[in-house]
Amino acid sequence: MVDHWHAYVNEDFAAGPSGTGVLQGRTFAVKDVFGLAGWTNTAGNPDWHRTHGPSAANAPVIDLLLGQGARLRGITHTDELMFSLNGENHHFGTPVNPRAVDRIPGGSSSGSAVAAASGTADFAVGTDTGGSVRIPSAYCGVFGIRPSHGAVPMGGVIPLSASFDTVGWMASGSRTLLDVGLALLGGGTAAEGEEPGFGDGLLFAADAWSLAEDACRRQLLAWLAAAGAGVDRGEWVTAAPEGLPVWFDTFRTIQGYEIWREHGGWIGRERPRFGPGIAERFAWSATLKQGDYERRAEDRLRIRAAMEALLGRGRLLVVPTLPSVAPRIGTSGDALEQLRIRTMQLSCIAGLSGFPQVTVPAGEVGGVPVAVSFIAGAGMDLPLLRWVDRLVRTRPKRSLARPSRPRPA
């Protein structure tokens, strides 16, 4: 295949299925942070590639997918060491957003989202720490999931912040998203005949919705109403009584401390070249103290307990995935940073709680995709995926039509 969309760091890397199962006949691409036998990861940075050797074996999650009949075809680009949400890589370039070619694809699982959105793979695998599957999925107009923390094995995957890191996946269709979930979470058990719940337990997080721009909020609420999941069936609540900025500060402090603990030694030893914004984030992470981390870790326990009380096993929290459409390529650093802060105030809800979140394409604003998310209680990943699939499949098909986009030369 020809990589018109610049999704792949290696589009020819392939591995055949090792068994049969729910993913029979489907192809997938994988973010360049997963161990693959014989492959040396770049992790989005040439100095990482230079200082590391090839993997001796596949990451366990790769073998799970191959064992369910999927075929691996292609290794996708990532932001440097997964520490960005934009998808613009200073060293390897920017994958092209198939749904809005003049807009960023989002990161750090940028290439995976582009592979799924362009149809060059049936589904794609990435990692999500602070939003790195959910955000590019939303920007590129595909479905994506951050599963419950610890639900999918992280062995053989380059870590960023261990207490937040998850393996996530994305697909252009809700059924494929569910089938990958069945392969990774349910042993390939068929989904037919199982009735998803949640329909009468929708909670709309008012503090999260207040972060969305007006046009985005109107489109998402209209899409939900047409899907039969509108505000008339739900209740407005406050997700973060302390304020989402406080939750975000808790998240970024824990994340930053863990990132420097994981990668600070390598950075100090190898002095890698980082692109704009990446070096500054690592430098900030180096300033965090253990006491800061421990205090925020206690706050996280309280947040998780509050979220467990709010959602239990029968309710969903409904939030915008993003506050706006994807920014244009070349948007200034200050503007991107302000959007990043607002975005992470939304994405930190699932991160701090460790709960599963599925992002769903919900139409467009000005011809650019927007998305809505559903967050369920801990361990409710498969019921959530089934519920989303049912919601999408029973919605009028014309609302899900994908507009034609020009392919880059």
Side-chain angles (χ1 to χ4, degrees), residues 361-375:
E364 299 180 340
V365 170
V368 183
V370 292
V372 67
S373 277
F374 303 95
I375 301 172

Side-chain angles (χ1 to χ4, degrees), residues 261-344:
R261 186 174 61 188
E262 181 66 45
H263 294 299
W266 175 77
I267 291 170
R269 183 173 62 253
E270 301 295 341
R271 300 190 179 278
R273 297 162 294 147
F274 288 126
I278 307 297
E280 291 83 353
R281 290 192 196 109
F282 277 114
W284 175 80
S285 296
T287 68
L288 296 169
K289 308 300 182 186
Q290 184 173 351
D292 301 327
Y293 172 76
E294 291 173 348
R295 283 189 295 274
R296 294 304 192 182
E298 292 176 359
D299 292 338
R300 175 170 58 178
L301 292 176
R302 289 191 287 271
I303 290 168
R304 183 183 179 100
M307 286 290 290
E308 286 176 343
L310 180 66
L311 295 183
R313 297 181 64 80
R315 291 183 291 274
L316 294 178
L317 193 67
V318 187
V319 300
T321 306
L322 296 164
S324 68
V325 299
R328 295 184 186 277
I329 295 170
T331 299
S332 73
D334 285 346
L336 278 180
E337 185 60 24
Q338 290 306 308
L339 177 60
R340 180 176 185 271
I341 290 170
R342 291 165 57 212
T343 297
M344 291 198 69

Side-chain angles (χ1 to χ4, degrees), residues 180-196:
V180 178
L182 292 169
L184 295 180
L185 301 164
T189 304
E192 296 298 337
E194 299 189 39
E195 180 68 29

Side-chain angles (χ1 to χ4, degrees), residues 10-357:
N10 184 332
E11 60 185 302
D12 297 320
F13 192 98
S18 59
T20 59
V22 71
L23 299 177
Q24 194 72 24
R26 290 192 174 107
T27 61
F28 73 100
V30 62
K31 183 178 183 176
D32 192 14
V33 298
F34 287 79
L36 298 167
W39 171 255
T40 301
N41 294 112
T42 73
N45 181 278
D47 290 313
W48 183 277
H49 185 262
R50 174 180 58 83
T51 57
H52 290 79
S55 297
N58 294 336
V61 67
I62 302 300
D63 287 333
L64 284 173
L65 295 169
L66 298 175
Q68 285 290 325
R71 178 179 298 276
L72 170 62
R73 191 174 66 192
I75 303 168
T76 59
H77 285 293
T78 176
D79 288 345
E80 293 183 69
L81 270 70
M82 306 79 76
F83 205 5
S84 179
L85 298 178
N86 298 328
E88 297 178 292
N89 190 299
H90 178 73
H91 306 285
F92 298 117
T94 302
V96 179
N97 185 336
R99 299 293 304 278
V101 296
D102 61 338
R103 308 271 175 163
I104 65 172
S108 63
S109 304
S110 54
S112 292
V114 169
S118 65
T120 57
D122 293 318
F123 67 94
V125 182
T127 58
D128 188 306
T129 302
S132 292
V133 163
R134 292 164 287 167
I135 291 162
S137 294
Y139 281 166
C140 293
V142 297
F143 296 82
I145 179 173
R146 173 199 169 90
S148 295
H149 186 261
V152 180
M154 281 290 298
V157 183
I158 299 170
L160 182 63
S161 172
S163 70
F164 293 125
D165 291 345
T166 62
V167 172
W169 57 97
M170 49 201 82
S172 61
S174 60
R175 182 52 193 258
T176 298
L177 198 78
L178 169 58
D179 285 345
V180 178
L182 292 169
L184 295 180
L185 301 164
T189 304
E192 296 298 337
E194 299 189 39
E195 180 68 29
F198 304 123
D200 295 320
L202 301 180
L203 303 177
F204 290 76
D207 43 354
W209 285 91
S210 71
L211 293 170
E213 295 179 358
D214 288 345
C216 179
R217 183 167 55 249
R218 287 194 299 269
Q219 170 59 32
L220 297 182
L221 291 173
W223 189 94
L224 287 164
V231 295
D232 59 318
R233 295 189 62 184
E235 174 188 354
W236 287 92
V237 299
T238 298
E242 307 92 335
L244 285 172
V246 174
W247 280 24
F248 168 52
D249 192 57
T250 298
F251 176 90
R252 71 194 292 259
T253 300
I254 297 172
Q255 182 198 42
Y257 183 86
E258 291 183 349
I259 286 171
W260 190 254
R261 186 174 61 188
E262 181 66 45
H263 294 299
W266 175 77
I267 291 170
R269 183 173 62 253
E270 301 295 341
R271 300 190 179 278
R273 297 162 294 147
F274 288 126
I278 307 297
E280 291 83 353
R281 290 192 196 109
F282 277 114
W284 175 80
S285 296
T287 68
L288 296 169
K289 308 300 182 186
Q290 184 173 351
D292 301 327
Y293 172 76
E294 291 173 348
R295 283 189 295 274
R296 294 304 192 182
E298 292 176 359
D299 292 338
R300 175 170 58 178
L301 292 176
R302 289 191 287 271
I303 290 168
R304 183 183 179 100
M307 286 290 290
E308 286 176 343
L310 180 66
L311 295 183
R313 297 181 64 80
R315 291 183 291 274
L316 294 178
L317 193 67
V318 187
V319 300
T321 306
L322 296 164
S324 68
V325 299
R328 295 184 186 277
I329 295 170
T331 299
S332 73
D334 285 346
L336 278 180
E337 185 60 24
Q338 290 306 308
L339 177 60
R340 180 176 185 271
I341 290 170
R342 291 165 57 212
T343 297
M344 291 198 69
Q345 288 179 24
L346 293 171
S347 64
C348 76
I349 299 171
L352 287 168
S353 65
F355 291 178
Q357 176 177 341

